[in-house]
Amino acid sequence: MDDDNGEGVAIANLIGTDGDSIVGWVYRWTTGAHAVMWDVHGPQPVSEIRPDLTAEQKQEIDFDGLKRIGSGDSK
């Protein structure tokens, strides 16, 4: 994806619960919106974001929800 062509740019890695593997990426679009793209294995629980994002960016991508994927906790 290319920011020059109106597409998204990866700004951070989503780190899996093992603390090491990259399970997805956070993209920023030219509109200022943020979105998550998963690796080929699809949605997985996330333990952290590298580099860290602002509280507002984390809220936009529902970071708390990303940490609960697969846990059965819907809150």
Side-chain angles (χ1 to χ4, degrees):
M1 294 183 204
D2 182 354
D3 195 34
D4 293 335
N5 292 322
E7 297 180 3
V9 174
I11 61 168
N13 297 317
L14 298 173
I15 307 301
T17 55
D18 66 0
D20 193 39
S21 61
I22 297 172
V23 297
W25 302 268
V26 178
Y27 277 80
R28 182 189 67 238
W29 300 96
T30 55
T31 61
H34 295 84
V36 168
M37 179 187 284
W38 298 105
D39 73 1
V40 296
H41 301 290
Q44 300 172 54
V46 174
S47 64
E48 64 181 294
I49 300 172
R50 293 183 197 153
D52 201 13
L53 300 177
T54 67
E56 294 82 18
Q57 291 169 319
K58 285 180 179 179
Q59 183 177 6
E60 184 176 353
I61 63 166
D62 188 18
F63 181 61
D64 288 336
L66 297 179
K67 294 189 295 186
R68 292 189 308 266
I69 291 174
S71 70
D73 182 7
S74 61
K75 292 184 178 186

